[in-house]
Amino acid sequence: MNNEAPIPLSAGDIPEGTRDWRTRDAERWLAVRAARWAWPVWAVPALVATAVWAIASVPEPACTDAVPCGPEWWGFGLFGAGLLTLYALCLHPALALVALGPVLALVLLEPAALGDAGDLPRLAVAAAGLFGYAGLHHRRDVRRRQGAVAAEASAGIRHRAPLGPVPLGGGRIALVVGVLLLTLAAGALWQALRGIDRDANRAAAATTVSAEVTDRGADTITVTLPGGDSRTLAVTYPEDYAEGATIGVLVDGDWARTVAEPYDPFGWQLLLLGAALPGSIALLHRAAARRRTAALMSGPQPVLRVLAAEGKDDSRTYVHAADDHAGSRPLFSFYGWPEPAPEDTDPQVIAEEVRGALRGSEAGVLREAVLYGTPHAGAGVAVVMAGEHSVTVERSVTGARPETAPATAGPRSTARRPAPRRPVRRTPSAAETAAGMTPGGAPLAWRAGAVSRAVGLFLLLFNGGCLWLVLHDGIGWNWLLLFGLPSSVNMTVCALNWRITADRDGLWVTGPWRVHRIPWEQLASVRSEGDGLRFRVGGRREISLPVTGLRPLEHRLHGTSRAETARNEIRALDTHPALRPDREATAKEQGFPLGPVIAVLIAAWSALVYLL
């Protein structure tokens, strides 16, 4: 974090009577949230483990002529409701408090869910549900106490947040995505019901005959009808039909199926579940954002003077105590949405602020700010921040996320040695990185190392195994997995062969399929995201290296990752032109994309698997 004095906020932008949120009050606030995630998070694996145990203890029912199998609607519905409840348990506790009880009751009582599971597995599922309820109540109490501590620090001073009535752009995107996915889910439901109805009408017009099973395949059986005609029928469980057994078959001309296995719309049900879940989550995200914004704009809000900064490697806004001028401990962070600029703001000033944000020059710079709202985990807040040329107003799109716990928590910490804490990894400034670099010389290169190539080799073998599982049984619904193949190949090739070369005039970035050229004057920013790197060119175009290794493992082995080293040194070269190499990179030094080679290998492997 920059050690310079924070950019000051003008007195006219600070509401009258606003108090500082100092470190001593912030540590009390952080101490309250110390156990915030403990119960809700542990309740999720507890519910999953007990539910899997209960389901595994139920024997698979056999399909017979007397009790046909038929489509499973309750089971699919409860499975989807259970997954949605687990999501709410982590991110939407208010919804989870309402939904957990009914869903748990249906899972325990509905035969299509746990069926004939024993008393012990059912008791375990119920205990896990009660554990989750206790955690949700604990989390609600923690939020209430966090809000009380923050309200006490504000001394009751309240002012209206300077927010306009403009809706959040991210909310519109979530609404569109949610509606599209739910429309797709409705289409899948209609197709499933249509297939069931078509099968029922055909079965009503068909004749039931007794047939002898003469052969069994992977997912078919061959039967001999009374007239000697042989038919091959698709079935889900061919192992349930012994050779030589007599079974009931419905025959209507060229159409035939077993009596025991009516039409099963499993593929459409799977599509319904896969679309309805993310669609519902997108609408929940929008509803939660609207609720936070409505609460923030409902009336005067507590105000506190704080320090704020934009994240260096992400787009989150980090809030610090007002006296934490070193920026050593962020209190919480959120993804923000900028408010419209005032009408009297100079367009040139706005353009300069945007260019600075794209270059990343303002990332990590502390600014004086005013916080509106009651901060607690998941709360909606707004921040008025000082800028170099204007004032920035941001409202939170996501709820506030507490960042760290205090080193000391109350009077008990004096009698007990605090637990060792993982050191905070600080991103060096461009000047600090430049101090350790040598000016001029040959082009600089950063490329995949042993860890990155090991990750790429693992992904390559994993892709080969997935293709074997998808293709060796022939065409089926599992072919939908092939839609994820392009992105998986991108990550594989990038991990095996990524390379960045810096020469006199710019960067050569070797991606999965081509080598990109980025002149120095067009490089807007470079940042690391997880295990990848992302370059912004000219303020619009982005070039991404999705996988450059396994950052946690590289941190453990080398103290830093190759991608982070490349990011830091590229920023130094961009800021200090005197450090750039003296000549252009040769064709060999620019790198060679490995994507076409890997694509040919994967195509050859796929053809071999399919033909075998």
Side-chain angles (χ1 to χ4, degrees):
M1 185 65 68
N2 200 325
N3 291 326
E4 298 178 359
I7 300 176
L9 195 65
S10 65
D13 295 314
I14 302 174
E16 184 179 355
T18 303
R19 296 185 59 181
D20 291 349
W21 196 9
R22 297 192 173 275
T23 300
R24 61 176 181 273
D25 298 319
E27 287 193 349
R28 290 179 56 208
W29 186 84
L30 286 171
V32 171
R33 60 83 55 186
R36 177 176 70 90
W37 285 104
W39 286 359
V41 168
W42 282 110
V44 171
L47 281 168
V48 171
T50 54
V52 169
W53 175 30
I55 293 172
S57 67
V58 179
E60 187 72 27
C63 301
T64 64
D65 294 354
V67 185
C69 289
E72 284 285 348
W73 287 108
W74 267 107
F76 257 85
L78 288 175
F79 180 69
L83 291 179
L84 200 59
T85 302
L86 293 177
Y87 165 78
L89 194 63
C90 289
L91 298 179
H92 300 286
L95 175 63
L97 278 170
V98 176
L100 184 57
V103 171
L104 196 62
L106 285 173
V107 168
L108 290 171
L109 301 177
E110 171 57 37
L114 296 187
D116 299 326
D119 293 337
L120 187 58
R122 289 177 181 271
L123 183 62
V125 173
L130 293 176
F131 182 59
Y133 255 119
L136 289 170
H137 283 287
H138 167 73
R139 185 173 175 182
R140 185 174 63 174
D141 180 64
V142 166
R143 290 185 171 188
R144 180 187 58 79
R145 287 189 288 146
Q146 278 183 319
V149 170
E152 180 183 347
S154 67
I157 305 299
R158 290 174 174 264
H159 292 273
R160 283 191 173 274
L163 303 177
V166 179
L168 296 178
R172 288 196 295 267
I173 295 173
L175 177 62
V176 171
V177 171
V179 169
L180 289 177
L181 287 174
L182 290 181
T183 303
L184 178 62
L189 176 62
W190 177 71
Q191 288 288 352
L193 294 177
R194 183 184 177 190
I196 293 173
D197 185 62
R198 186 168 55 245
D199 178 79
N201 292 335
R202 198 72 185 263
T207 303
T208 304
V209 299
S210 297
E212 181 183 355
V213 179
T214 57
D215 192 16
R216 292 187 302 181
D219 50 8
T220 60
I221 59 172
T222 302
V223 298
T224 301
L225 302 180
D229 188 16
S230 180
R231 297 285 182 93
T232 299
L233 310 177
V235 294
T236 306
Y237 306 103
E239 62 274 8
D240 292 342
Y241 302 91
E243 293 187 19
T246 301
I247 62 172
V249 176
L250 294 172
V251 180
D252 182 18
D254 294 335
W255 179 86
R257 72 160 172 84
T258 63
V259 175
E261 294 190 29
Y263 171 72
D264 185 7
F266 178 76
W268 292 117
Q269 287 177 322
L270 197 62
L271 180 60
L272 167 64
L273 189 65
L277 276 179
S280 301
I281 288 174
L283 294 185
L284 282 176
H285 170 74
R286 172 178 167 80
R290 289 181 64 88
R291 178 179 59 82
R292 284 190 292 263
T293 301
L296 195 59
M297 300 177 65
S298 61
Q301 300 293 322
V303 291
L304 287 165
R305 288 187 65 178
V306 294
L307 298 178
E310 299 291 339
K312 288 189 175 181
D313 298 324
D314 55 29
S315 56
R316 299 184 73 89
T317 298
Y318 291 82
V319 174
H320 300 255
D323 55 352
D324 184 15
H325 290 180
S328 58
R329 178 182 296 168
L331 304 177
F332 64 88
S333 66
F334 59 87
Y335 283 109
W337 188 268
E339 287 292 302
E343 294 181 359
D344 58 351
T345 302
D346 186 355
Q348 296 292 336
V349 171
I350 299 176
E352 181 59 31
E353 293 282 358
V354 172
R355 284 193 292 268
L358 292 176
R359 289 194 304 266
S361 60
E362 298 184 4
V365 177
L366 282 175
R367 314 155 180 228
E368 289 187 357
V370 177
L371 173 69
Y372 291 83
T374 305
H376 60 72
V381 296
V383 173
V384 177
M385 294 187 295
E388 294 182 355
H389 307 284
S390 64
V391 174
T392 302
V393 181
E394 287 192 0
R395 73 172 88 178
S396 60
V397 176
T398 58
R401 183 187 71 185
E403 289 296 323
T404 58
T408 59
R412 293 178 57 186
S413 62
T414 59
R416 181 179 297 177
R417 177 176 299 176
R421 300 175 58 198
R422 181 176 297 178
V424 178
R425 190 173 300 277
R426 188 179 69 88
T427 302
S429 65
E432 292 173 337
T433 305
M437 299 178 65
T438 302
L444 300 176
W446 306 269
R447 60 175 65 86
V451 173
S452 180
R453 287 170 179 156
V455 171
L457 182 60
F458 169 79
L459 290 174
L460 184 63
L461 296 175
F462 178 78
N463 289 333
C466 287
L467 284 171
W468 174 271
L469 294 176
V470 168
L471 298 177
H472 88 286
D473 284 335
I475 299 177
W477 282 104
N478 53 3
W479 277 48
L480 291 175
L481 296 175
L482 293 176
F483 286 108
L485 185 62
S487 61
S488 180
V489 171
N490 269 357
M491 291 188 293
T492 302
V493 178
C494 187
L496 285 171
N497 193 55
W498 72 270
R499 179 189 177 102
I500 305 167
T501 302
D503 63 11
R504 180 185 59 196
D505 299 323
L507 299 176
W508 297 94
V509 180
T510 303
W513 304 100
R514 55 173 294 193
V515 179
H516 303 269
R517 179 59 166 168
I518 307 177
W520 287 116
E521 60 272 13
Q522 294 185 20
L523 178 64
S525 66
V526 54
R527 64 185 187 275
S528 59
E529 293 184 354
D531 295 323
L533 281 173
R534 190 177 294 273
F535 301 83
R536 185 179 291 274
V537 184
R540 293 184 179 181
R541 187 166 64 101
E542 281 198 346
I543 298 172
S544 177
L545 298 178
V547 177
T548 58
L550 193 61
R551 189 167 62 170
L553 180 58
E554 289 185 287
H555 284 169
R556 182 175 293 274
L557 293 177
H558 309 297
T560 186
S561 68
R562 287 177 179 253
E564 290 171 333
T565 301
R567 176 201 64 195
N568 297 338
E569 295 185 355
I570 290 171
R571 287 177 177 175
L573 293 173
D574 185 37
T575 308
H576 301 80
L579 293 174
R580 297 172 188 172
D582 296 331
R583 63 175 177 84
E584 293 186 4
T586 63
K588 183 178 180 180
E589 291 171 332
Q590 293 169 12
F592 175 78
L594 199 60
V597 177
I598 298 297
V600 170
L601 292 177
I602 289 179
W605 172 250
S606 302
L608 180 63
V609 171
Y610 190 68
L611 292 175
L612 290 178

